[in-house]
Amino acid sequence: MAIPEDIQLSWLSSFLAVVNQGTFTAAARTTRRAQPRVSAHIAALEEVLHVRLFDRGARGVNLTEAGHRLLPHARAALAEVRAGMDSVESLEGALQGNVIVGSFPGASGVLLAPLIKRFRAAHTGVSVELHEGDPGWLEDAVAGSDIDLAVRVADIPQRHKEVVSRHLFDERIHLAIPADHPLADVDASPTVLRDRSLIVTGAPAEGWTDFTERLAESGITPARITNVAHPTTVIALVRARLGIGLLGEMAASITAFGDVLTKPLPQPRWVREIHVYWNSKRQLSTAAAAFLDALESTAPQPR
């Protein structure tokens, strides 16, 4: 039976690189190792565990059931080691390490971009990576230790018990219309959305139905709902006069301009909570904890 001391961290690093990159060649490139070295690491790991971790085929490599079971633990193990090293290095006074933050487009542009710039300037020994994804991916990434912190809407039920969150701020929801649209001079009421073509962000097949629950709760049945992945697409379709858009205030502030007008819908129904998420089973590194503090102190205050 294998014991932890039998496994080297470099083997786990190569294992994760193959998972993330999809091929041994790409994994070798990202880890700056020769491909035979990466292959040797995987072979050694498989030998110690007495299992096959990958199915090799003409179209690349795929995880076996054993590989899937090892994956979250390998990620967590390397994340904990890196966090410990960062913490020790930070004893000398200056923060050290790497912080990986996940977010959605509106918060990335309005909240996180300037915060990351200030944080990097204040802590030159810390690198901050930003990754965007839909709410489900962000939670999965936190649970799997792929990212340290995630900023996302709290509307969607959580799937992972180990993922916890704290309220950051509330964001108003805006409608977007062409500037010369008849609704431009009308109060932004949900009733104006009835029997109209709407454009919203979301992926219903993945359980992400941004704003559609609020429409149902308001008793509003649109003529059609078009789901897109990005708020810039919402604005582009509005500009093409293909419907009325619904999007968060932050995204509206950086995507709508010129011939597109945005107007806030009434509170409290058309306000959504934005939370920050992390993995409760994993201690945040000193750098990640400092970034969380900076994030919470930077979050918009209630108006």
Side-chain angles (χ1 to χ4, degrees), residues 89-102:
E89 291 174 352
S90 297
L91 283 173
E92 297 181 359
L95 283 180
Q96 301 289 328
N98 183 50
V99 181
I100 306 176
V101 184

Side-chain angles (χ1 to χ4, degrees), residues 264-284:
L265 287 161
Q267 304 185 49
R269 186 183 300 279
W270 294 90
V271 173
R272 61 183 184 177
E273 292 187 5
I274 307 299
H275 286 203
V276 57
Y277 295 76
W278 66 93
N279 192 327
S280 64
K281 290 187 176 181
R282 179 185 157 211
Q283 183 175 350
L284 290 175

Side-chain angles (χ1 to χ4, degrees), residues 155-156 207-218 269:
D155 290 358
I156 300 169
W208 178 34
T209 53
D210 218 2
F211 311 134
T212 55
E213 290 88 351
R214 287 181 173 83
L215 291 168
E217 292 168 0
S218 301
R269 186 183 300 279

Side-chain angles (χ1 to χ4, degrees), residues 3 41 62 73 75 90 108 130 152 161 190 239 255-256 258 264-265 296:
I3 58 176
H41 286 172
N62 296 293
H73 303 288
R75 285 173 170 162
S90 297
S108 296
L130 176 62
R152 58 158 248 192
K161 293 182 179 179
R239 183 169 284 117
T255 60
L265 287 161
E296 293 185 312

Side-chain angles (χ1 to χ4, degrees), residues 101-130:
V101 184
S103 183
F104 61 97
S108 296
V110 175
L111 176 64
L112 288 171
L115 173 60
I116 291 172
K117 180 180 179 180
R118 292 194 303 271
F119 195 85
R120 284 175 174 172
H123 307 288
T124 56
V126 179
S127 63
V128 183
E129 298 178 31
L130 176 62

Side-chain angles (χ1 to χ4, degrees), residues 68-174:
H68 279 292
R69 293 194 179 198
L70 177 64
L71 180 58
H73 303 288
R75 285 173 170 162
L78 284 180
E80 286 295 339
V81 171
R82 292 191 184 106
M85 294 173 63
D86 294 344
S87 180
V88 171
E89 291 174 352
S90 297
L91 283 173
E92 297 181 359
L95 283 180
Q96 301 289 328
N98 183 50
V99 181
I100 306 176
V101 184
S103 183
F104 61 97
S108 296
V110 175
L111 176 64
L112 288 171
L115 173 60
I116 291 172
K117 180 180 179 180
R118 292 194 303 271
F119 195 85
R120 284 175 174 172
H123 307 288
T124 56
V126 179
S127 63
V128 183
E129 298 178 31
L130 176 62
H131 300 273
E132 287 187 344
D134 65 58
W137 179 86
L138 289 171
E139 184 184 341
D140 290 344
V142 169
S145 298
D146 290 325
I147 59 179
D148 300 303
L149 302 166
V151 177
R152 58 158 248 192
V153 297
D155 290 358
I156 300 169
Q158 289 183 220
R159 300 190 296 250
H160 301 279
K161 293 182 179 179
E162 67 270 26
V163 176
V164 296
S165 72
R166 202 148 59 211
H167 178 267
L168 272 180
F169 61 95
D170 294 331
E171 181 187 37
R172 297 193 70 175
I173 297 169
H174 285 224

Side-chain angles (χ1 to χ4, degrees), residues 12 14 26 43 61 67 135 175:
L12 296 179
S14 289
V61 295
L175 61 79

